[in-house]
Amino acid sequence: MDTLQQLSENMQKGNADQVARLTQQAIDEGCEPKTILDDALVGGMAVVGYKFKKHEIFLPHVLLAAKAMHAGMDLLKPLLVKDGIPTIGKVVTGTVQGDQHDIGKNLVGIMLKGAGFEVVDLGRDVSPEKFLDAAVSEKAIVIGMSALLTTTMPVMRKVIALAHERNVRDQLKFIVGGAPMSKEYAQKIGADAYCYDAVSAVECVKRFIGAH
Amino acid sequence: MRRVIDIKTEDITPSITGILAHQGMPPHVQADEPTLKPAREAIALWEHLSQPVGIFAEIAIHEFAQVYIGESRNEPETPLPNIYQRANALALFAVTVGHDVEQEIRRLFETNEFPLGAMLDAAASVSAEKAVDVVQDRFRKHLSVVGRWDRSKGVMPFSPGYCGWHVSGQRALFDTLHPEEIGIELSDSYLMQPLKSISGVLVAGAKDIFQFDDDFPFCSECATRSCRERIMSIIENQPKADTR
Ligand code: B12
Ligand code: SF4
């Protein structure tokens, strides 16, 4: 089995130490950092996402794999930056103003990173202005907003309204999620998509990238 | 009657099964060692960091009627009015497992310790729910001591944000109960901090008052239908199956 295949399999099993070791080995063998990232790590996470969707594995396994992926990413990142390799796209995420719940939003960020996207996490209690300032300055393609209470959901509409006001609505896609959200609510507030979970968030953002 | 309850950590320790179930693992799936390891670590961390505390205060039916109306944002038809109006006793309650667990969960996610972070998050949620059971038990004991309890009765908790009781109802609840005394604050957006906190009302009464159908308009969006299990446990006089 070659190094990249071993790397991918160890990552899928969540063996963080092996992933760090094999990533270093692949670098030492002269493999391009971008190839290691795409073929072994992102490719491996796609398999993990697929198995999760099929209920073959569960959230703890996904998170073990994500942790292992980061062990490899830590070694690759400086090399990718040095080579000036751009990511496939940037997503700004945050929990809306008035809300402090962030586990769901964090899981979405983890899976997006696992799929090769760059994630700018604005944290919790994020104002509409902060969402848009960050998206514009970071040249993001997608804004992902999270809310866990029906009382904080309406802030999402304000963010989208502000994007219209600032004439940047066309250059951004808005995805929304969180326990009380629904497809209907997302449509009502003019979001581009509602995502039920972190795996569907990745599928959504990939669709948008394809359309970009 | 208002009482602050110092909840013992060992009384609400979450089980591994409960933690895994909270993360969507079906009960028939045998957890492997890589999954069990962070689950065990999370329980140890939780035991070290949690600061469980609760409060309850009895409230008269007519006073609760005002609390329930809250900010007039409830669904037009809800199960609770029919129940509380026939109750023998009502008590507002709030519980929390404290700030420290929450901070540790954040730290774990920030340092890429996702599996442990998610396990600790689940442990804290599960234990917060168990804390409600403890407060409920104390309320039952209190009623028993003052001669207002017998085995023909049951107690059921209801919370704003569930079953048509709007989450904004927490404002009136807080204004009456003042859970600030045990360190729980309510924000303008009706969010409690610490996050792992639960508020609501304990309803005590004859078992048959708790019978209701799950056919309210909002029930169609309810994923858990948890009222069915709650009603059954009261009718059969059994503690809830402890998978938590
Ligand atoms: C566990 C839980 C709790 C726990 C912990 C809360 C916490 N989050 O820390 C406890 C028991 C303490 C609790 C308390 C309360 N809860 Co609660 N709770 C839940 C429950 C069962 C699961 C939430 C959770 O942690 N899920 C796991 C995480 C990982 O999932 P998630 O955040 O939903 O994120 C996923 C998706 O939504 C999506 N997603 C999330 N964000 C984003 C963002 C983007 C961009 C995308 C694409 C996708 C996406 O992907 C994520 C990963 O798959 C939900 C119901 C449910 N089934 O979801 C109710 C729920 C959130 N709670 C609810 C309520 C009402 C409360 C209380 C107000 C009750 C009360 N009166 O005490 C309190 C409030 C607490 C507070 N601090 O203010 C309501 C909220 C709805 C409302 N009415 O506003 C819910 C929806 C239950 C319901 N009625 O249906 N709760
Ligand atoms: S079905 Fe769900 S929403 Fe309806 S009463 Fe039961 S628990 Fe509440």
Side-chain angles (χ1 to χ4, degrees), chain A residues 101 104 146 148 150 178-179 196-198, chain B residues 22 125 160-161 192 195-196 198-199:
Chain A
H101 291 99
S146 181
L148 225 77
T150 42
Y196 169 76
D197 65 8
Chain B
H22 189 86
S125 292
M192 281 183 281
L195 277 185
K196 304 296 180 185
I198 301 177
S199 64

Side-chain angles (χ1 to χ4, degrees), chain A residues 34-150:
Chain A
K34 178 90 171 99
T35 309
I36 305 176
L37 176 72
D38 289 346
D39 293 5
L41 301 185
V42 174
M45 268 317 265
V47 177
V48 169
Y50 176 80
K51 287 186 176 168
F52 176 73
K53 209 175 157 185
K54 294 265 165 213
H55 306 294
E56 286 171 27
I57 58 170
F58 301 93
L59 185 63
H61 304 112
V62 176
L63 295 178
L64 284 161
K67 181 184 167 187
M69 179 173 187
H70 273 76
M73 281 296 285
D74 287 348
L75 296 166
L76 290 177
K77 229 185 202 153
L79 303 177
L80 291 164
V81 171
K82 203 175 98 208
D83 291 354
I85 307 274
T87 55
I88 51 172
K90 237 184 222 181
V91 182
V92 163
T93 60
T95 303
V96 297
Q97 198 162 44
D99 211 325
Q100 299 281 342
H101 291 99
D102 54 1
I103 299 295
K105 180 260 303 165
N106 290 347
L107 295 182
V108 170
I110 289 167
M111 290 308 282
L112 285 171
K113 281 186 200 161
F117 293 99
E118 195 174 337
V119 176
V120 180
D121 183 359
L122 302 178
R124 306 162 276 142
D125 197 13
V126 181
S127 69
E129 291 76 15
K130 201 170 165 194
F131 267 116
L132 288 165
D133 291 349
V136 170
S137 68
E138 295 281 351
K139 298 191 176 62
I141 45 166
V142 177
I143 292 186
M145 298 183 279
S146 181
L148 225 77
L149 291 177
T150 42

Side-chain angles (χ1 to χ4, degrees), chain B residues 1-8 11 51-57 92-96 131-140 142 181-182 202:
Chain B
M1 223 297 303
R2 174 185 164 83
R3 199 169 282 179
V4 171
I5 297 160
D6 197 10
I7 300 170
K8 287 199 197 90
D11 287 344
Q51 300 141 323
V53 57
I55 186 168
F56 75 80
L92 298 179
F93 77 90
V95 297
T96 185
V132 177
D133 294 348
V134 172
V135 172
Q136 181 175 326
D137 203 49
R138 291 295 178 85
F139 180 48
R140 200 185 292 129
H142 157 71
E181 190 186 337
I182 57 164
L202 299 167

